[in-house]
Amino acid sequence: MKQYKHIFFDLDHTIWDFDRNAEETLHELYGTYKLKDIGLHSADLFIETYTRHNHRLWAEYHLGRITKDELREERFKSTFIELGVQPDLMPADFEDAYVNLGPTKTNLFPHAHETLAYLQGKYTLHLISNGFKESTEIKVKGTNLGGYFQNVIISEVVGVNKPDPLIFKHAIELAGATIPESIMIGDSIEADIRGAMGVGMDAIYFNPFNLEKPADVAVQISHLKELTLLL
């Protein structure tokens, strides 16, 4: 790998283990809201169905096709409808409860702190998240990640999402960096990898589930600790 000075990380699904934290949250809410009583007899099926809808809607949000409010309104509504829950039985404040509880969960991908501490000794680190402002700030604070990053760039604050070139250019400018000395690390091919490549930035694809790597993606890792060998 060539010499870099600045590393830009994604947060959700790259450092903060979104799916594991969502699963914990939904197991709690399944009990709290007694979802079994409205016909949802499997917490695992509920979580699996929600995860599929949430991933689909986040992909739409990354591309600017839906708004934050539309994402939050649709993900549980779609889940309940698919599982056969009548509209009058859907818990009205379920989304709010999820949004309040989920970001307080603290599961990170293995070796996150160890890897970030190592990289911080060699590079200036930054975070670029398509997450929402309030939840991102809670996640960063609750997991003690803030001390690693010089800048935390949140798409909701900037006004554009990855993969829009503007958020990458804004991040580079804020860092006082140049594109050749910068590299992006993230799990989303479209938002993180091709978004960075679109402005000429190198990128490393974080692929913990060993999905098929597209031909245009040069470098991938399956564990964060691999970064200590590459960088």
Side-chain angles (χ1 to χ4, degrees):
M1 303 291 285
K2 66 184 184 183
Q3 183 60 49
Y4 301 103
K5 294 181 180 178
H6 296 266
I7 301 176
F8 295 82
F9 274 93
D10 173 53
L11 179 62
D12 291 340
H13 301 286
T14 299
I15 299 172
W16 196 78
D17 192 340
F18 189 102
D19 289 339
R20 187 176 170 196
N21 289 316
E23 184 175 351
E24 272 191 19
T25 302
L26 292 172
H27 268 294
E28 286 187 35
L29 295 178
Y30 180 86
T32 301
Y33 281 83
K34 300 179 180 176
L35 297 187
K36 191 173 183 179
D37 294 346
I38 62 171
L40 299 180
H41 298 290
S42 169
D44 290 340
L45 179 59
F46 173 66
I47 292 167
E48 177 187 320
T49 306
Y50 161 79
T51 299
R52 177 162 36 81
H53 284 293
N54 192 49
H55 285 185
R56 172 180 60 83
L57 290 163
W58 269 103
E60 296 287 297
Y61 178 76
H62 287 326
L63 297 173
R65 294 174 180 165
I66 61 172
T67 66
K68 168 186 175 179
D69 289 341
E70 288 170 330
L71 183 153
R72 287 187 166 176
E73 180 182 350
E74 183 66 24
R75 57 185 175 183
F76 284 112
K77 181 180 177 182
S78 295
T79 300
F80 286 124
I81 289 173
E82 180 176 331
L83 295 174
V85 176
Q86 296 300 315
D88 60 324
L89 295 178
M90 296 178 190
D93 61 342
F94 197 89
E95 170 69 28
D96 290 339
Y98 176 80
V99 168
N100 289 331
L101 180 59
T104 68
K105 299 298 182 181
T106 58
N107 294 298
L108 304 177
F109 280 95
H111 306 293
H113 280 288
E114 175 187 345
T115 301
L116 291 170
Y118 167 84
L119 293 174
Q120 188 183 35
K122 299 179 66 178
Y123 308 92
T124 304
L125 309 185
H126 314 270
L127 203 61
I128 311 178
S129 175
N130 272 5
F132 304 129
K133 181 179 185 296
E134 183 178 7
S135 60
T136 298
E137 290 173 347
I138 292 170
K139 292 170 186 176
V140 169
K141 183 176 181 180
T143 52
N144 297 314
L145 290 173
Y148 298 114
F149 300 106
Q150 182 183 78
N151 296 299
V152 176
I153 298 108
I154 302 172
S155 65
E156 188 177 28
V157 177
V158 179
V160 289
N161 298 331
K162 297 174 293 183
D164 193 305
L166 290 177
I167 194 167
F168 290 96
K169 291 175 181 177
H170 170 76
I172 291 283
E173 184 177 343
L174 190 65
T178 64
I179 286 174
E181 65 187 16
S182 302
I183 189 167
M184 178 76 200
I185 299 166
D187 73 290
S188 171
I189 293 292
E190 290 302 327
D192 300 315
I193 307 308
R194 291 185 178 140
M197 290 163 56
V199 296
M201 190 190 303
D202 288 345
I204 296 175
Y205 173 36
F206 178 58
N207 185 14
F209 304 111
N210 294 308
L211 304 176
E212 184 176 353
K213 182 179 76 65
D216 62 331
V217 175
V219 182
Q220 70 172 346
I221 57 170
S222 58
H223 301 281
L224 290 176
K225 199 171 183 180
E226 292 176 62
L227 293 173
T228 64
L229 303 176
L230 285 175
L231 296 170

